[in-house]
Amino acid sequence: MKRSRGFALPTLMVMLALASLAALLALRHLWVNEQLLNAETDQLRTLHKAHAALPLAVADIIGASNNNMRHIAGDLTQTHAFFPSSMTEYNTLRQRLLPNTCNAGICAPNALQPSAAKASYWKTQTATALAIPATQTPYGDNTAWYWVEIFPQANSSQDNFIYRITVLANGVMPSSTTVLQAVWARTSVTSPTGQWHSWHVLHD
């Protein structure tokens, strides 16, 4: 009887220790799941933010924004970037952008660059992007940017252009970043409507 009582306390202590360990493991499992869920939610939020920026970029292209200077080339003394409406203005834009290819979110690259198909490239180019203000996004300032690359449309008798839009959106977490790239073309030179040709999320 005394021998049984002698084993009861150590057995109880071992059982309590095992129960505590099981509780700690369960709490850690819940914490890990919560962190994964928060990260996934934040990543989905950045994707939504990037998609929401595409119509803003199109409005900028067609001149629906309030900044009319982005559609006026001006004279030879002007240095601002603008959306060209002819090949003559396009060549003027390219000269103004030198030695860079982008300014204020308007780009005129010489050709398709392989680096521009990687997310890491755009993450280092925010100084040349157009930042989306807090009035146009519920997520606040300095959380989303976009660039519009302008390419002359091949085999076209008119001065048509194709626009490749790249959006960079940051989430709350440092690892939550989405870089979305889409191609849009106007129906005609002055048409306010157009067609999406492709869009995809960039990776490295």
Side-chain angles (χ1 to χ4, degrees):
M1 190 71 175
K2 292 181 179 180
R3 186 182 299 273
S4 299
R5 292 178 179 177
F7 281 109
L9 183 59
T11 301
L12 180 60
M13 293 180 64
V14 170
M15 292 179 64
L16 288 174
L18 291 175
S20 299
L21 181 60
L24 289 174
L25 290 175
L27 288 174
R28 176 175 173 76
H29 182 70
L30 289 174
W31 178 82
V32 170
N33 284 342
E34 182 181 4
Q35 295 302 309
L36 291 175
L37 182 60
N38 288 339
E40 184 177 355
T41 301
D42 200 35
Q43 191 65 46
L44 289 174
R45 187 182 296 114
T46 63
L47 181 60
H48 175 268
K49 189 191 306 182
H51 276 285
L54 291 178
L56 299 177
V58 171
D60 194 14
I61 293 169
I62 65 177
S65 63
N66 295 325
N67 192 347
N68 292 328
M69 288 299 294
R70 290 174 69 81
H71 290 269
I72 300 175
D75 54 34
L76 295 177
T77 63
Q78 301 292 326
T79 59
H80 65 278
F82 63 97
F83 288 103
S85 59
S86 66
M87 283 303 300
T88 300
E89 290 187 351
Y90 175 77
N91 292 329
T92 300
L93 172 65
R94 289 186 60 185
Q95 289 297 320
R96 286 187 187 178
L97 292 176
L98 292 175
N100 302 313
T101 58
C102 297
N103 183 28
I106 298 177
C107 311
N110 297 327
L112 290 172
Q113 301 295 331
S115 59
K118 295 182 178 180
S120 57
Y121 170 80
W122 297 104
K123 291 176 183 178
T124 63
Q125 302 296 316
T126 53
T128 65
L130 186 70
I132 300 176
T135 55
Q136 295 181 308
T137 173
Y139 303 104
D141 286 322
N142 299 318
T143 60
W145 302 260
Y146 70 78
W147 300 259
V148 179
E149 296 174 275
I150 306 168
F151 299 96
Q153 189 169 352
N155 303 321
S156 176
S157 58
Q158 297 178 318
D159 293 336
N160 288 344
F161 298 99
I162 294 178
Y163 305 91
R164 186 168 70 174
I165 303 168
T166 304
V167 180
L168 169 63
N170 284 338
V172 177
M173 298 181 178
S175 60
S176 299
T177 300
T178 296
V179 181
L180 182 66
Q181 198 168 78
V183 176
W184 184 82
R186 272 183 165 176
T187 305
S188 64
V189 178
T190 59
S191 174
T193 61
Q195 183 178 3
W196 294 104
H197 290 270
S198 67
W199 58 89
H200 59 280
V201 176
L202 299 185
H203 302 282
D204 290 330

